[in-house]
Amino acid sequence: MKYKPMTGVWEITMGCNMRCKHCGSICENPQNDELTTKEALKLCKELGELGFKHITLSGGEPTTRDDWHIIAKGLKDNGIIPTMITNGWLINEEIVDKAIKSGINTVAISIDGLEDTHDFMRKSGSFQRSIKALKLMKDKGMYSAVVTTVNKQNIDQLEDMKNVFIENGVTTWQLQIGMPMGSLKENCELVLGNDAIDKIIDFGYKSLDDNRIRIHFADCIGYFNVKEMEVRKASSNSDHIWQGCGAGKNSLGILCNGDILGCTSIRDREFIEGNIRETSLKDIWTSTKTFKWNRDITKEKIEGFCGKCKYGDVCLGGCSNSRLCMENSIYKENKYCSYYMAMDRKREEIAAIDDIDNLFENAEKLAGVGEFQLSQLLLERALYLKEDDIEFLNLYAYVNFMLKNYTIAKDINEKILEIDCKNIYANKGLGLTLCKLGEVEKGIQYLKNAVKLTDYNYMAPYHDCAVTLMEYNKIEEAKDILQQAREISLDFFEKNKDLYDKLNIFATTEEA
């Protein structure tokens, strides 16, 4: 199986006893077509057979459904660890006992601020009920956690909230940000600006010194901020770093009527992949036609900064729902990203610089020490001021190649060659780039063009051409190129002796 299922969120009901201002799914009453107990237990079996390890039961409010504990036990009986997210309003001794007996690993209560703020967001009296529930679970030995949707009302209360949670036995606390979807779309004045991301990350990092509670960032908070990576590693007890949205790759969402999607936050009809009443979960998961929006996404398909970011191939734009909610498209850049914000601040500083020579000199220095992203920003400013400067374009193409922005590098090299078809750097750069894009034969031809144009003062095309030929098992052609280079420059031979030796190994292997 190409995509290994691990986790999922199952909204077992749309029924809810609250009307939260930030509810992403606008939960009110149970739907007429919600899965029956029998159907739910059948799904538990299918989830187990597929290999899921963790499933979180949510809603609506899951405890408003009479059989929530039966579903939890069904998951447990099929080798899955069940957890539950609740608003805490109905939690009493009977419910905690049922949770323990059914095998629920963790009950997480959603708490969204200190008392006045939480009750404003949810329901009068709900904060005290949640605290009572935490105390009860602590007394019963039930593992509890808290989930907080951070917004403008509570972001300055995080430290005080942490102390309250610690006092009540909470050791795990997940932070997530509210997106303008569902009810929060009607209360968008509560939605945080992207400048708040670093504030949340700083809070989590500062809390690493407090071993009484572990902060966990949801997928919508990141990315590639050193502090964020430390928090993420600590919360998972591993070297885990953000690897892109897992929707439809290792996680899924299940709606109350059996609709299957990649993530319960992304609930537009176009993202529903099937329904378990009509198609088995296995067939939905293993189909080559499902979850394509995420399974087939690449850095180059994302517009804006994400499509040029050095982390783009790994990050793939961060949280898909953030992009969908804030930019109205899965394929737009994610401005709710710490690295994006850092580079945006740099871009603002650079925009004030009009000295072209200074821009290029610093871009060249940064490229020389591997700081390609900053070099890229400086060059973009320089090219804005002087659009067709060949020297700037050559460096810009190289920098984008090193950032794996191959389509951009290809376009720039082609632009240079339209101006100067004998430009050695552009011929070499285009050749390497085309190979990366899968146009190998065409790429090799451009590399050979670069070789023909060069002399002993610049021998890099010989090296790159030979290495590329070797990579694609064109051993004899590689040997010819290196022999030509040796005849032109003994210095090149001495500096690349390992390459010659390696080629001899290849040659021996081929003869054998």
Side-chain angles (χ1 to χ4, degrees):
M1 192 182 302
K2 183 176 181 180
Y3 297 100
K4 186 177 181 180
M6 294 294 293
T7 67
V9 176
W10 184 353
E11 294 185 356
I12 61 174
T13 182
M14 283 285 280
C16 190
N17 47 12
M18 291 190 185
R19 300 293 180 267
C20 303
K21 291 180 173 62
H22 60 310
C23 179
S25 46
I26 319 181
C27 297
E28 294 185 356
N29 302 307
Q31 301 297 296
N32 293 329
D33 60 349
E34 292 183 358
L35 297 178
T36 64
T37 303
K38 183 178 180 180
E39 289 174 321
L41 291 176
K42 180 175 180 290
L43 180 54
C44 290
K45 184 178 180 181
E46 290 188 63
L47 287 163
E49 288 173 346
L50 261 180
F52 279 89
K53 304 301 181 187
H54 302 269
I55 295 291
T56 298
L57 301 179
S58 73
E61 169 50 40
T63 60
T64 63
R65 180 166 169 150
D66 292 339
D67 60 355
W68 63 268
H69 59 291
I70 298 172
I71 297 172
K73 187 175 186 301
L75 291 170
K76 181 70 174 178
D77 290 346
N78 283 280
I80 300 167
I81 298 173
T83 58
M84 183 168 72
I85 298 176
T86 170
N87 61 34
W89 185 265
L90 296 175
I91 297 295
N92 56 23
E93 190 168 346
E94 179 186 358
I95 284 181
V96 174
D97 287 342
K98 283 182 177 180
I100 293 170
K101 187 175 181 180
S102 65
I104 287 182
N105 175 271
T106 303
V107 174
I109 298 182
S110 297
I111 302 181
D112 297 305
L114 298 174
E115 187 166 4
D116 289 346
T117 301
H118 177 82
D119 287 1
F120 165 77
M121 293 297 298
R122 290 181 172 269
K123 187 176 181 178
S124 180
S126 61
F127 182 82
Q128 287 301 328
R129 285 221 185 193
S130 293
I131 296 301
K132 183 179 178 181
L134 290 174
K135 289 178 178 177
L136 177 60
M137 286 189 284
K138 182 181 178 182
D139 291 343
K140 287 274 189 179
M142 178 83 205
Y143 192 84
S144 64
V146 169
V147 177
T148 296
T149 300
V150 187
N151 56 66
K152 287 183 178 178
Q153 290 283 91
N154 62 23
I155 190 167
D156 293 323
Q157 300 177 3
L158 296 179
E159 189 65 39
D160 290 334
M161 291 170 67
K162 183 179 79 171
N163 292 330
V164 171
F165 299 154
I166 290 171
E167 288 173 10
N168 288 282
V170 176
T171 57
T172 300
W173 182 17
Q174 176 173 298
L175 299 177
Q176 57 196 36
I177 54 174
M179 289 293 166
M181 58 181 288
S183 298
L184 199 53
K185 197 169 186 178
E186 305 302 318
N187 297 283
C188 56
E189 72 279 359
L190 296 171
V191 177
L192 292 166
N194 60 354
D195 56 339
I197 292 295
D198 283 346
K199 189 171 183 178
I200 298 171
I201 290 172
D202 287 346
F203 168 74
Y205 184 75
K206 179 183 175 184
S207 298
L208 285 176
D209 293 333
D210 194 336
N211 57 17
R212 296 173 298 173
I213 194 166
R214 183 172 57 182
I215 306 294
H216 174 75
F217 291 150
D219 290 352
C220 52
I221 297 175
Y223 307 90
F224 295 94
N225 171 313
V226 173
K227 294 178 181 178
E228 173 257 336
M229 289 191 281
E230 289 301 315
V231 175
R232 206 172 284 280
K233 287 177 183 178
S235 67
S236 62
N237 290 319
S238 70
D239 290 332
H240 173 74
I241 60 172
W242 175 255
Q243 297 285 326
C245 173
K249 294 179 177 178
N250 52 50
S251 64
L252 60 64
I254 307 167
L255 300 187
C256 61
N257 66 345
D259 281 341
I260 301 297
L261 19 65
C263 170
T264 53
S265 294
I266 305 176
R267 51 200 312 120
D268 292 13
R269 296 298 306 177
E270 64 180 291
F271 294 101
I272 293 175
E273 310 293 347
N275 186 286
I276 58 102
R277 285 174 169 145
E278 301 165 359
T279 310
S280 73
L281 183 63
K282 181 178 180 180
D283 286 346
I284 294 173
W285 183 265
T286 58
S287 172
T288 57
K289 297 179 181 179
T290 54
F291 309 104
K292 289 177 71 66
W293 64 269
N294 198 35
R295 289 179 176 180
D296 292 351
I297 198 165
T298 62
K299 172 182 174 178
E300 290 191 336
K301 290 181 180 179
I302 307 174
E303 298 175 17
F305 179 75
C306 292
K308 299 188 288 185
C309 177
K310 70 177 182 179
Y311 298 114
D313 285 323
V314 177
C315 181
L316 295 172
C319 173
S320 299
N321 189 52
S322 296
R323 303 196 304 277
L324 185 61
C325 288
M326 304 310 300
E327 305 298 327
N328 297 313
S329 173
I330 292 289
Y331 302 103
K332 294 289 182 67
E333 66 187 358
N334 188 348
K335 295 176 182 177
Y336 277 69
C337 163
S338 183
Y339 188 68
Y340 172 95
M341 291 296 297
M343 292 300 105
D344 199 47
R345 289 190 291 269
K346 288 292 183 182
R347 191 183 293 109
E348 288 180 7
E349 293 174 16
I350 291 167
I353 303 173
D354 292 324
D355 186 335
I356 294 178
D357 292 336
N358 177 268
L359 288 165
F360 181 74
E361 181 181 341
N362 283 306
E364 199 170 35
K365 286 179 181 177
L366 287 166
V369 295
E371 292 288 345
F372 298 113
Q373 200 85 72
L374 289 174
S375 179
Q376 179 194 62
L377 297 180
L378 288 164
L379 287 165
E380 285 175 351
R381 174 63 177 166
L383 287 164
Y384 172 79
L385 297 170
K386 193 175 181 181
E387 185 176 356
D388 290 329
D389 187 289
I390 295 292
E391 194 174 21
F392 295 177
L393 288 169
N394 272 318
L395 183 57
Y396 188 55
Y398 166 71
V399 163
N400 276 286
F401 179 85
M402 296 306 292
L403 288 169
K404 299 182 180 179
N405 301 332
Y406 299 126
T407 299
I408 296 174
K410 172 180 175 287
D411 292 343
I412 297 299
N413 281 310
E414 287 178 340
K415 180 177 181 178
I416 296 168
L417 292 176
E418 287 177 6
I419 301 169
D420 175 14
C421 66
K422 294 185 178 181
N423 188 285
I424 300 170
Y425 302 97
N427 273 284
K428 179 171 76 76
L430 183 56
L432 293 171
T433 301
L434 288 170
C435 288
K436 291 294 185 181
L437 292 171
E439 299 182 57
V440 177
E441 294 302 325
K442 190 176 178 181
I444 288 173
Q445 189 55 55
Y446 275 100
L447 285 168
K448 289 180 177 179
N449 290 347
V451 167
K452 290 176 184 177
L453 292 166
T454 194
D455 58 34
Y456 67 89
N457 291 314
Y458 181 62
M459 299 291 291
Y462 283 95
H463 174 277
D464 291 349
C465 186
V467 169
T468 302
L469 288 166
M470 291 169 63
E471 182 180 348
Y472 293 100
N473 205 33
K474 296 178 180 291
I475 305 304
E476 291 304 316
E477 291 181 69
K479 287 168 66 177
D480 288 343
I481 291 293
L482 287 178
Q483 184 58 39
Q484 291 175 40
R486 184 173 184 174
E487 291 172 0
I488 295 171
S489 171
L490 287 175
D491 184 52
F492 175 87
F493 171 72
E494 291 298 331
K495 288 180 179 178
N496 294 278
K497 197 165 185 310
D498 288 347
L499 183 57
Y500 282 87
D501 291 343
K502 187 176 182 180
L503 189 62
N504 285 333
I505 292 172
F506 271 108
T508 304
T509 303
E510 287 292 308
E511 289 168 6

